[in-house]
Amino acid sequence: MNHTASKQHGGPSNFPTDGDVFMQMLEAMTKEELTVGLREAMENMTEENYDSTLIDAYLAALDRKAPMPEAPDTNTSFTNFKNKLLQTFSAENASAVSTRRKVQSAWRVGLAAALIAICLMGGMVVAQAAGVDVFGAIARWTDEVFSLGAIRSNGADDGTSTPALADNGVVNSNETTYASLQEALDDYGITEVREPTWIPDGYEFEDVEVDSWPDDGSLIGLFAKYYDGANFLQIQIGYYNGNANMQVEKTDASVETFLVGDLTVYLLENVNSNSAAWATEHYECYISGAVEKHALKRMVLSAYASTP
């Protein structure tokens, strides 16, 4: 079947005149044809002619053709949602635009994304209800700034200095000298992040700075530096509770992603450096330096005992 029911729609009049024929067409379609039809219907809609009845008919037909399975547990839902979102919509994460035409396009893309996510990832709602901040855990970026949470208006770190890990209050800098980043991580009982076992040729560990709260000594963040005689390679690890404390400058080059287990790692470009960024349950992590992105990927993989 080369045509879709959406081509029979013609306007925001709910169902076509012959509703029975339209429903029969939907029932005769395969799951793939229904998906294409739904997408085409969405592409032809604007805020003025949005037709929820037509969309409901497609969704109901899709549910009959491919019933939604029972919702998986919270952790599985969260992992599956991130993977599907990256595969389907990574190219749609862009800065806001001001013209009416682009606003309408963004509206259609956002609505289509929401509908398809509902069809494919029903467990997302279960995860959110169970206390997992599904939406807050997704990175955000513009042409100039990247963050593992909401974009702040007070600028970004350029990758050359320690980020403002605490915006309010006084912090303590641990004066302990560590022989490696891993030694500092072990000292603070951090197991979600490990020091990479592979470092680009020429770079050697120089030092690690640890910031903590003065009242209880709890960790705010670590900042490790590696040096090759000309350039610094830096690893930043900050405490993360769903609200990003760090953000970095970037160019308008596309953000790349890869997965390490259930972690999504983002690769981004700056003018004279590249960065890898990811978040665990309690920490946000950045590796930045004047090295190629494939080298950053190899570092992240080595930190999680994956084959580089």
Side-chain angles (χ1 to χ4, degrees):
M1 182 178 295
N2 296 323
H3 60 280
T4 63
S6 63
K7 297 185 182 299
Q8 304 292 328
H9 178 47
S13 58
N14 293 327
F15 290 104
T17 303
D18 192 344
D20 290 340
V21 174
F22 177 72
M23 295 303 295
Q24 291 173 8
M25 289 180 61
L26 292 181
E27 291 301 321
M29 286 180 171
T30 65
K31 180 181 68 174
E32 291 74 18
E33 290 169 337
L34 287 168
T35 301
V36 172
L38 175 60
R39 184 176 67 248
E40 291 182 353
M42 292 299 306
E43 290 174 351
N44 292 325
M45 290 184 191
T46 66
E47 295 92 329
E48 290 77 19
N49 68 357
Y50 172 68
D51 189 344
S52 62
T53 306
L54 178 67
I55 295 172
D56 288 343
Y58 270 109
L59 292 177
L62 275 168
D63 192 51
R64 288 191 293 272
K65 293 288 183 180
M68 187 177 298
E70 292 185 9
D73 60 74
T74 298
N75 292 332
T76 301
S77 297
F78 185 33
T79 300
N80 290 344
F81 170 71
K82 291 195 299 182
N83 293 344
K84 288 292 184 182
L85 193 64
L86 285 170
Q87 294 168 6
T88 310
F89 302 111
S90 59
E92 303 298 344
N93 194 339
S95 57
V97 293
S98 59
T99 65
R100 177 178 177 80
R101 179 178 181 183
K102 289 183 178 180
V103 168
Q104 291 176 339
S105 175
W107 179 87
R108 290 196 296 269
V109 169
L111 185 56
L115 288 170
I116 296 176
I118 288 172
C119 292
L120 297 177
M121 301 302 303
M124 178 183 65
V125 177
V126 177
Q128 187 75 25
V132 178
D133 187 7
V134 174
F135 298 100
I138 299 175
R140 296 170 174 86
W141 61 86
T142 67
D143 284 347
E144 296 86 21
V145 178
F146 175 93
S147 174
L148 287 164
I151 299 291
R152 303 194 309 270
S153 60
N154 60 343
D157 177 44
D158 63 2
T160 62
S161 60
T162 305
L165 295 174
D167 293 329
N168 299 302
V170 178
V171 299
N172 284 339
S173 291
N174 189 338
E175 300 298 330
T176 302
T177 299
Y178 296 102
S180 67
L181 171 59
Q182 188 59 50
E183 186 175 319
L185 293 170
D186 292 341
D187 192 26
Y188 280 84
I190 298 174
T191 59
E192 295 175 21
V193 186
R194 299 192 62 81
E195 182 177 26
T197 58
W198 182 88
I199 302 293
D201 290 341
Y203 283 92
E204 294 184 359
F205 174 81
E206 184 167 276
D207 61 41
V208 57
E209 178 182 329
V210 181
D211 292 329
S212 60
W213 291 112
D215 53 351
D216 60 4
S218 60
L219 180 72
I220 297 175
L222 300 93
F223 181 68
K225 290 186 294 184
Y226 302 77
Y227 191 55
D228 70 349
N231 300 298
F232 282 102
L233 182 63
Q234 301 152 354
I235 300 179
Q236 300 162 273
I237 302 170
Y239 181 72
Y240 181 74
N241 61 357
N243 297 314
N245 293 301
M246 294 183 278
Q247 59 188 35
V248 297
E249 293 179 352
K250 59 178 288 295
T251 65
D252 59 1
S254 298
V255 173
E256 302 174 26
T257 61
F258 65 95
L259 296 176
V260 181
D262 61 352
L263 296 176
T264 300
V265 183
Y266 302 84
L267 295 172
L268 47 142
E269 297 181 9
N270 201 349
V271 176
N272 297 312
S273 64
N274 292 312
S275 295
W278 71 99
T280 67
E281 184 178 0
H282 298 105
Y283 302 98
E284 55 183 328
C285 311
Y286 287 86
I287 303 178
S288 301
V291 296
E292 297 297 327
K293 285 185 284 187
H294 67 80
L296 294 175
K297 180 176 180 179
R298 186 172 179 180
M299 289 181 68
V300 176
L301 291 172
S302 73
Y304 288 92
S306 296
T307 303

